[in-house]
């Protein structure tokens, strides 16, 4: 199994570290040909406008959309924004997930926070019971989930922070910044090595 991490901008190195810790082969993706032979892809956190523009500059938008037609992709924070169809403003998006996002929905960088989430599919897949402690850094919320997309996790007040659509996963928080590897394990459970 080999998992790529989009490495144009943002905290791709942290994702690669977690994957390595789980014994998974990794590749940094900067060009369309770097997608060859990958079994899944992670879009990291960072700044979604910049990441989207770099995808355009590096001719990655269409190859990533193509990849996501049948391979698993997981976007964390800015990566989740990139996966979405709608952010109510104009910026390059992959548009693969039927979700509408509100960027920076919790305020500014200083309003970053942590919260415990109860995500049943995650607990089931990893045979664990503890809530998932999530880090939100200038995070988006998922305002609307439509079509085949499903809510995966919400804050206690009901705001959606994780969604899934088949093998596509969007989280508005940052599992790559914690020592809890369960979200990476959950994503890897969608991956069927070629
Ligand atoms: N605020 C960023 C954006 O809207 C996302 C922040 C993050 O990835 N931590 O692109």
């Amino acid at each position: 199994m080999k998992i790529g991490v989009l490495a144009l901008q943002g905290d791709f190195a942290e994702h690669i570290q977690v994957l390595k810790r789980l014994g998974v082969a990794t590749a940094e993706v900067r060009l369309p040909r770097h997608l060859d032979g990958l079994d899944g892809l992670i879009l990291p956190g960072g700044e979604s406008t910049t990441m989207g523009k770099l995808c355009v500059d590096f001719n990655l938008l269409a190859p990533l959309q193509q990849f996501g037609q049948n391979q698993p992709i997981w976007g964390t924070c800015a990566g989740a924004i990139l996966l979405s169809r709608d952010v109510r403003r104009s910026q390059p998006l992959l548009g693969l997930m039927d979700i509408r996002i509100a960027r920076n929905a919790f305020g500014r960088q200083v309003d970053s926070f942590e919260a415990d989430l109860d995500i049943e599919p995650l607990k089931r897949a990893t045979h664990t019971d503890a809530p998932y402690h999530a880090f939100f850094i200038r995070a988006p919320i998922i305002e609307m989930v439509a079509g085949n997309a499903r809510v995966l996790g919400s804050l206690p007040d009901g705001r959606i922070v994780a969604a899934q659509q088949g093998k596509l996963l969007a989280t508005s928080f940052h599992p790559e910044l914690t020592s809890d590897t369960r979200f990476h394990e959950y994503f890897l459970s969608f991956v069927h090595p070629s």
Side-chain angles (χ1 to χ4, degrees):
M1 180 197 298
K2 193 173 193 180
I3 304 297
V5 183
L6 185 67
L8 299 174
Q9 192 267 338
D11 71 341
F12 56 90
E14 284 77 359
H15 273 293
I16 287 175
Q17 255 168 28
V18 180
L19 292 168
K20 286 195 170 145
R21 219 174 335 129
L22 293 171
V24 175
T26 61
E28 293 184 4
V29 173
R30 294 192 177 84
L31 295 170
R33 64 181 160 82
H34 298 159
L35 292 168
D36 295 347
L38 296 182
D39 302 301
L41 179 71
I42 296 177
L43 313 174
E47 212 286 320
S48 60
T49 312
T50 310
M51 220 182 283
K53 283 183 181 163
L54 289 169
C55 283
V56 172
D57 291 349
F58 286 80
N59 293 315
L60 267 165
L61 224 42
L64 291 174
Q65 284 163 337
Q66 187 70 36
F67 187 86
Q69 293 304 317
N70 37 41
Q71 303 275 45
I73 303 185
W74 173 21
T76 59
C77 207
I81 297 169
L82 216 54
L83 265 181
S84 74
R85 238 186 241 307
D86 183 7
V87 295
R88 285 200 275 128
R89 52 179 276 175
S90 174
Q91 70 181 79
L93 299 173
L94 296 179
L96 286 167
M97 282 185 79
D98 243 334
I99 56 178
R100 188 174 76 211
I101 297 258
R103 289 180 60 187
N104 305 324
F106 299 98
R108 306 172 49 173
Q109 198 87 7
V110 290
D111 301 311
S112 298
F113 65 101
E114 302 176 20
D116 279 336
L117 304 174
D118 266 307
I119 301 182
E120 290 309 323
L122 176 84
K123 292 185 190 175
R124 268 201 305 279
T126 56
H127 309 288
T128 56
D129 206 34
Y132 183 83
H133 192 70
F135 292 166
F136 295 83
I137 303 169
R138 225 170 163 231
I141 58 168
I142 300 167
E143 275 188 332
M144 200 186 69
V145 161
N148 294 325
R150 300 278 174 268
V151 174
L152 184 65
S154 309
L155 291 169
D157 65 9
R159 283 183 289 183
I160 305 165
V161 291
Q164 184 173 341
Q165 181 178 322
K167 297 187 215 169
L168 304 174
L169 185 62
T171 58
S172 62
F173 46 91
H174 286 272
E176 71 281 18
L177 300 181
T178 74
S179 56
D180 188 340
T181 57
R182 284 181 293 165
F183 246 101
H184 287 78
E185 292 166 51
Y186 183 62
F187 177 63
L188 294 174
S189 75
F190 311 160
V191 177
H192 299 293
S194 46

